[in-house]
């Protein structure tokens, strides 16, 4: 029979790597909760229209990368519906915000999520078709202060704190303003005009983008194109007074709390909903896919999907890439997930009692591997040595006397320990 494999672009996460994933997620929860965020869990599939209208029909995500299917009705009363595996989570969170009338509280909603997202991209290191994002959104009515540049700065400061607490070093925060919904079309026009002359000298991808989505030209990584692209009009020149003041206030607040950044006038990002502040944290160790996380402000998103005016700002961290960064920094360290002890029943007659001993030690908080009574003593030692720091031999004598023989694999030292003292002994 042919072997069935994980689908292209998906992968299994195995221990000990999953320990790192859990550490990343636990740190996110701990840090975000200090900033008074609460967790939201939205469905993994949504009405396709949510992404078409929320993320934007013209974006790569919506036009090429979504997993979409027609859901067949189960009963005559149900209609066939186009559904999509979520390619990102902001649209889902804003839909939930609208659906549950969270804005009626008059307060800012501060929500974080952790979960899988799906995009049909060309898989490579750091880019998968199922990947995981840890993200957060601050959204609410204008009266709650949702438009304030302080929100932008607070979110960025939180991200810097999160990365610091995880021990990620060497990250760079790049920041830009893409202006308001009115500023951007004026800029796109100017860009389009400038590109009529320049585009034919750029790479083929840029020639296409110049027509379909001129902003994407700014993402070009082809070396020969860079000088020409840097000379194109910059969005900063097209910001209205308010957007300019907003951006200046964000930068001032970051300066005040010592979060370092660089302004990158070419950072426009791939999702249509962004307004004003956009940002990315990159990491040199990641290679071609160097964006650790991205985000920005989306003041018109709620209205675009049929809700009330509810400005917001959010981000999504690529958890897969964060884990890659941490692995590179701590290579080898993960191999250290040994159990505290290997309990070796000497003979099959001791199996049930050995399980009881393992249970006692586990209840005392130790990480315990339970061996197998049919193994010869030599094999128990070999197996134990691979998975644990120490071995406890549990034979008839030990069962009767209540005195255990413990061998420390590192030192080779053998010690007799009373059963009641065993947990304490192993902890040291
Ligand atoms: P986006 O939702 O496109 O703004 O992406 C936010 C972050 O998610 C990026 O900075 C990446 O770290 C991560 N990301 C996006 N797409 C993928 C993917 N296909 N595989 C792995 N990580 C991704």
């Amino acid at each position: 029979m042919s072997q069935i494999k994980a689908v292209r672009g998906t992968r299994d996460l195995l221990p000990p790597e999953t320990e790192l994933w859990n550490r990343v997620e636990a740190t996110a929860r701990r840090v975000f909760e200090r900033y008074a965020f609460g967790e939201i869990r939205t469905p993994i599939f949504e009405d396709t229209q949510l992404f078409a209208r929320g993320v934007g029909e013209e974006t790569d995500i919506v036009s090429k990368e979504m997993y979409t299917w027609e859901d067949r009705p189960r009963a005559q009363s149900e209609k066939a519906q186009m559904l999509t595996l979520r390619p990102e989570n902001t649209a889902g969170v804003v839909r939930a915000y609208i659906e549950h009338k969270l804005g009626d509280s008059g307060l800012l909603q501060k929500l974080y999520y952790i979960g899988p997202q799906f995009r049909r991209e060309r898989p490579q290191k750091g880019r998968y078709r199922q990947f995981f994002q840890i993200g957060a959104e601050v959204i609410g009515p204008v009266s709650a202060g949702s438009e304030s540049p302080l929100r932008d700065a607070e979110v960025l400061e939180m991200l810097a704190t999160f990365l610091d607490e995880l021990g990620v070093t060497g990250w760079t925060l790049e920041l830009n303003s893409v202006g308001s919904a009115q500023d951007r079309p004026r800029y796109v026009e100017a860009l389009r005009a400038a590109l009529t002359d320049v585009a034919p000298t750029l790479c083929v991808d840029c020639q296409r983008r110049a027509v379909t989505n001129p902003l994407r030209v700014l993402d070009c990584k082809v070396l020969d194109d860079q000088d020409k692209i840097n000379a194109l009009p910059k969005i900063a020149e097209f910001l209205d007074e308010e957007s300019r003041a907003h951006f200046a206030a964000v930068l001032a607040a970051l300066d005040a709390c010592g979060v370092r950044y660089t302004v990158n006038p070419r950072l426009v990002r791939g999702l249509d909903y962004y307004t004003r502040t956009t940002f990315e944290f990159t990491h040199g160790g990641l290679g071609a896919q160097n964006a650790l996380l991205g985000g920005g402000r989306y003041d018109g998103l709620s209205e675009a999907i049929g809700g009330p005016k509810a400005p917001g700002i959010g981000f999504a961290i690529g958890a897969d890439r964060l884990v890659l960064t941490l692995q590179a920094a701590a290579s080898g360290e993960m191999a250290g997930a040994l159990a505290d002890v290997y309990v070796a029943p000497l003979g099959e007659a001791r199996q049930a009692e050995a399980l009881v001993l393992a249970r006692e030690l586990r209840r005392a908080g130790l990480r315990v591997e339970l061996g197998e009574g049919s193994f010869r003593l030599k094999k128990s030692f070999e197996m134990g040595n691979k998975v644990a720091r120490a071995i406890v031999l549990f034979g008839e004598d030990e069962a009767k006397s209540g005195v255990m023989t413990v061998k420390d694999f590192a030192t080779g030292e053998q010690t007799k320990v009373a059963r009641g003292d065993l947990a304490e002994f192993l902890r040291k």
Side-chain angles (χ1 to χ4, degrees):
M1 288 266 253
S2 63
Q3 189 191 345
I4 298 172
K5 299 219 168 127
V7 173
R8 182 171 150 81
T10 72
R11 60 208 181 112
D12 303 304
L13 303 173
L14 308 171
E17 190 185 339
T18 36
E19 271 175 47
L20 198 48
W21 280 83
N22 285 331
R23 181 152 73 82
V24 165
E25 292 175 7
T27 306
R29 289 176 196 281
R30 194 178 65 234
V31 173
F32 297 173
E33 272 159 31
R34 289 211 303 266
Y35 288 75
F37 281 76
E39 184 177 2
I40 182 169
R41 302 189 189 193
T42 65
I44 283 182
F45 55 89
E46 299 263 7
D47 188 322
T48 304
Q49 277 306 306
L50 175 66
F51 306 113
R53 280 158 60 187
V55 178
E57 299 268 17
E58 296 303 314
T59 59
D60 280 356
I61 294 178
V62 173
S63 64
K64 295 193 242 170
E65 296 170 359
M66 296 205 303
Y67 288 93
T68 297
W69 70 99
E70 185 183 87
D71 205 36
R72 272 178 288 134
R74 291 284 308 264
Q76 288 211 315
S77 57
E78 289 180 52
K79 278 216 227 76
Q81 193 181 10
M82 296 309 289
L83 302 178
T84 294
L85 287 182
R86 62 185 188 199
E88 58 94 62
N89 220 151
T90 300
V93 171
V94 176
R95 179 201 47 70
Y97 170 90
I98 298 166
E99 197 163 330
H100 301 286
K101 300 189 169 49
L102 299 182
D104 288 1
S105 66
L107 301 172
L108 282 181
Q109 300 299 308
K110 300 166 73 176
L111 303 164
Y112 77 86
Y113 60 82
I114 297 178
Q117 318 292 336
F118 307 85
R119 296 182 196 173
R120 194 185 286 103
E121 296 198 81
R122 212 155 25 80
Q124 62 183 87
K125 184 173 174 226
R127 188 159 75 190
Y128 312 99
R129 291 183 170 179
Q130 171 175 293
F131 59 100
F132 292 81
Q133 287 186 332
I134 302 174
E137 316 292 344
V138 182
I139 179 171
V142 174
S143 60
S146 57
E147 272 181 321
S148 166
L150 186 57
R151 302 280 76 84
D152 310 34
E154 188 184 24
V155 159
L156 289 164
E157 188 273 320
M158 175 169 89
L159 281 165
T161 299
F162 168 67
L163 292 175
D164 288 347
E165 262 181 50
L166 258 186
V168 179
T169 52
W171 50 263
T172 309
L173 162 58
E174 294 186 14
L175 203 57
N176 192 24
S177 175
V178 296
S180 67
Q182 291 77 44
D183 301 337
R184 201 142 45 141
R186 286 193 293 125
Y187 174 58
V188 173
E189 255 341 283
L191 200 56
R192 214 185 271 282
L195 279 169
T196 40
D197 289 341
V198 182
T201 71
L202 298 176
C203 68
V204 281
D205 280 338
C206 282
Q207 295 182 21
R208 181 176 43 79
R209 293 174 186 138
V211 182
T212 55
N213 194 348
L215 283 178
R216 296 270 69 82
V217 170
L218 304 180
D219 295 336
C220 175
K221 302 249 169 16
V222 175
L223 217 52
D224 282 348
D225 291 355
Q226 298 308 306
D227 287 348
K228 289 173 242 173
I229 294 172
N230 285 333
L232 290 168
K234 304 222 170 13
I235 192 152
E237 298 150 19
F238 293 80
L239 300 190
D240 63 20
E241 205 41 56
E242 278 180 47
S243 292
R244 227 179 278 241
H246 185 100
F247 195 44
V250 175
L251 301 186
L254 291 178
D255 289 336
C257 61
V259 174
R260 277 174 294 121
Y261 57 83
T262 26
V263 174
N264 175 358
R266 282 173 55 175
L267 185 74
V268 288
R269 305 198 27 81
L271 293 81
D272 274 1
Y273 51 60
Y274 287 119
T275 51
R276 294 194 171 156
T277 315
T278 55
F279 56 84
E280 231 165 57
F281 283 67
T282 57
H283 196 281
L286 279 169
Q289 302 303 317
N290 70 346
L292 260 188
L293 69 95
R297 182 165 269 290
Y298 45 82
D299 292 344
L301 177 56
S302 170
E303 287 146 297
I305 57 176
K309 184 173 170 72
I313 179 160
F315 61 81
I317 302 165
D320 307 75
R321 294 184 193 175
L322 196 51
V323 168
L324 278 174
T325 309
L326 289 167
Q327 276 171 332
S331 57
E333 188 190 288
M334 289 312 291
L338 286 180
D340 296 309
V341 68
Y342 183 89
V343 174
L346 303 182
E348 287 177 64
R350 299 276 85 75
Q351 305 233 97
E353 292 159 277
L355 177 61
V356 174
L357 176 62
R359 173 180 153 99
E360 282 168 22
L361 297 174
R362 287 168 175 156
R363 289 201 162 196
L366 294 165
R367 183 176 169 115
V368 179
E369 287 274 16
L370 180 57
E372 167 54 44
S374 64
F375 291 172
R376 288 170 172 277
L377 191 58
K378 181 162 176 273
K379 181 161 177 185
S380 286
F381 270 105
E382 280 167 8
M383 296 293 239
N385 201 5
K386 286 184 187 147
V387 297
R389 291 189 290 108
I391 185 168
V392 176
L393 302 175
F394 191 77
E396 199 178 346
D397 287 353
E398 285 79 7
K400 279 204 192 114
S401 67
V403 178
M404 309 291 138
T405 309
V406 184
K407 182 175 176 182
D408 183 317
F409 286 122
T411 61
E413 210 175 304
Q414 205 152 306
T415 319
K416 298 268 183 204
V417 185
R419 183 168 185 155
D421 300 333
L422 192 55
E424 197 47 43
F425 178 82
L426 289 167
R427 231 191 299 279
K428 291 190 252 129

